[in-house]
Amino acid sequence: MTDQVNENIQMITETIRDFGSKEIIPHYRTWDDTQEFPIQLFKKLGELGLMGVLVPQDYNGSGLGYLEYINIIEEIAKLDGSIGLSLAAHNSLCTNHILMFGNEYQKQKWLPSLATATKIGAWGLTEPNTGSDAGNMKTTAIKDGSNWILNGTKNFITHGSSGEIAVVIARSGEPGDSHGMTAFVLEKGMDGFRAGRKEDKLGMRASETTELIFEDCRVPDSNRLGEVGEGFIQALKILDGGRVSIAALSVGIAQGAFEAATKYAQERHQFNKPIATFQGVSFKLADMATKIEAARLLTLNAAELKMKGVKMTKESAMAKYYASEVAVEVANDAVQIHGGYGYTKDFPVEKYYRDAKLCTIGEGTSEIQKLVIAKSILN
């Protein structure tokens, strides 16, 4: 890690902590209770340069690397996992897909507004009956002259309703053919393109999740990303980076839960002494701290490989798998340390507990990560 990167990270950390104390901490409970997606907050994050972290300055982005990026995700997730999730989805999925696979015209057209959060981005791969089995997606794209006609439904889409620019992968060939899918950019207001049902979720409740519905939606061929049939291959490469995002998100949630538990353990007295002095509690804290550090190092390793342009499918899967499971374990222990109070909304650990679980599911379940890791080892 260079001195410049270290300096960037220190500055970013201070900025986020100051911003978060004023703009996130006072409101996160209300957002969680009401499932409000605080779009104006993301506009402010855009003004700070945090919505186009990886985008070059030529397109109004911050032009930073993955090491700074994972630090940003972790620091935001410590404050509110759902805000961290939305920040990650906007940066690493929609925006990054256009950055990696768009032509110059497409980059000039869409990246500046995404990088500044003038427009919020969404990314559509998952469908109601094809989650892990994305290769058998039902949403179709049929060529019609200089346009494509899209029909189908995507679900579990972050910013599906509020997003104004969406990258969507649709089947342009035969089911099950890894070269039978194509990626397109859709814009809010296109005929036949709309949001569907909003999910009522256990956690990450301030991060909007809805369906995307396509009914004879006509998309210009100029909105196609890359070559016909490359959509699924592109998506797999995007998910390599996305796993690093979820790993960083998991580390942030775990760190937030750990800090809350440590503070409580030092303040809560039983038998005339802080409960942190009891071995049953102090050993939990030791285990939590060790697992978080291991997860952070796995995440850092994957991010460094990503920065170097080295294949990191195995490393990103390892980071995502381990860090997400650690987030659940640490949040669970944080609730346990709080005892009965941990089960109430008076303390933040119950929210960390609810938010953490999604990290083991989104962008590939823990079981899928094991498949990816095993395949990398055995091939």
Side-chain angles (χ1 to χ4, degrees):
M1 193 179 294
T2 67
D3 290 341
Q4 182 60 57
V5 171
N6 277 323
E7 185 178 327
N8 289 343
I9 288 175
Q10 183 177 356
M11 180 180 67
I12 289 166
T13 299
E14 292 172 357
T15 298
I16 290 174
R17 289 178 181 175
D18 180 60
F19 176 85
S21 67
K22 300 171 185 174
E23 302 289 346
I24 297 177
I25 295 299
H27 310 293
Y28 81 90
R29 177 61 67 192
T30 299
W31 296 334
D32 183 68
D33 289 341
T34 62
Q35 297 200 76
E36 175 188 352
F37 176 59
I39 193 166
Q40 292 306 315
L41 174 76
F42 288 93
K43 303 293 185 182
K44 293 178 182 178
L45 289 170
E47 292 172 3
L48 290 177
L50 302 183
M51 296 294 275
V53 180
L54 304 170
V55 177
Q57 294 179 359
D58 289 347
Y59 306 111
N60 291 350
S62 297
L64 299 174
Y66 258 80
L67 298 179
E68 291 97 335
Y69 173 61
I70 62 172
N71 173 256
I72 290 167
I73 297 299
E74 179 180 339
E75 287 297 324
I76 293 287
K78 281 167 59 177
L79 305 174
D80 186 340
S82 58
I83 304 304
L85 175 64
S86 279
L87 188 76
H90 176 92
N91 273 280
S92 73
L93 298 180
C94 176
T95 304
N96 201 38
H97 200 139
I98 296 171
L99 177 63
M100 287 182 67
F101 299 106
N103 57 38
E104 187 58 31
Y105 164 78
Q106 293 167 335
K107 291 178 183 179
Q108 292 285 356
K109 182 177 182 180
W110 291 305
L111 286 180
S113 57
L114 287 167
T116 56
T118 304
K119 294 183 178 179
I120 302 296
W123 193 75
L125 177 67
T126 302
E127 296 183 2
N129 294 310
T130 56
S132 299
D133 185 20
N136 280 310
M137 66 177 58
K138 306 301 181 186
T139 297
T140 58
I142 299 174
K143 189 73 183 297
D144 181 28
S146 61
N147 297 295
W148 293 80
I149 309 300
L150 269 62
N151 280 286
T153 302
K154 300 288 184 180
N155 74 332
F156 297 138
I157 307 303
T158 306
H159 315 145
S161 179
S162 297
E164 295 166 278
I165 298 172
V167 174
V168 174
I169 295 90
R171 181 165 58 80
S172 54
E174 295 300 315
D177 181 3
S178 62
H179 293 280
M181 288 156 276
T182 302
F184 303 90
V185 178
L186 279 70
E187 298 180 81
K188 198 170 191 177
M190 281 183 166
D191 289 341
F193 174 44
R194 62 183 175 87
R197 182 174 69 95
K198 180 178 178 179
E199 302 294 341
D200 186 3
K201 300 178 298 183
L202 169 71
M204 302 290 196
R205 288 166 61 85
S207 179
E208 177 188 271
T209 307
T210 76
E211 295 175 316
L212 288 180
I213 299 172
F214 316 97
E215 298 169 321
D216 293 328
C217 178
R218 187 172 293 272
V219 182
D221 188 58
S222 59
N223 284 35
R224 170 173 48 84
L225 289 172
E227 298 300 320
V228 174
E230 288 187 350
F232 187 62
I233 306 303
Q234 293 174 7
L236 293 179
K237 293 177 180 178
I238 292 299
L239 287 172
D240 276 349
R243 291 183 185 119
V244 180
S245 295
I246 300 301
L249 180 72
S250 302
V251 171
I253 291 171
Q255 185 68 36
F258 168 73
E259 290 178 5
T262 302
K263 180 176 182 290
Y264 181 83
Q266 292 172 320
E267 295 174 349
R268 171 72 168 173
H269 284 66
Q270 292 287 276
F271 306 102
N272 299 317
K273 62 176 69 174
I275 63 172
T277 62
F278 298 119
Q279 195 175 80
V281 173
S282 65
F283 276 19
K284 273 192 190 302
L285 293 171
D287 284 339
M288 292 158 77
T290 302
K291 290 175 182 177
I292 291 169
E293 189 62 22
R296 184 177 286 114
L297 289 172
L298 279 171
T299 305
L300 179 62
N301 179 55
E304 287 181 331
L305 292 175
K306 178 70 174 175
M307 280 291 295
K308 294 175 182 177
V310 177
K311 182 177 172 61
M312 36 71 82
T313 300
K314 179 185 73 174
E315 289 79 7
S316 66
M318 284 179 168
K320 196 270 185 190
Y321 164 56
Y322 185 75
S324 64
E325 294 291 340
V326 162
V328 172
E329 292 173 17
V330 168
N332 180 62
D333 284 341
V335 171
Q336 194 71 19
I337 288 171
H338 279 70
Y341 291 110
Y343 207 66
T344 73
K345 289 183 179 289
D346 293 330
F347 290 84
V349 289
E350 65 85 26
K351 183 177 182 300
Y352 289 120
Y353 184 77
R354 289 185 289 109
D355 287 348
K357 186 57 194 169
L358 181 67
C359 297
T360 69
I361 299 170
E363 297 198 35
T365 63
S366 291
E367 290 73 20
I368 289 296
Q369 305 312 315
K370 290 181 183 181
L371 285 174
V372 171
I373 296 164
K375 184 177 179 181
S376 298
I377 292 169
L378 299 173
N379 279 355

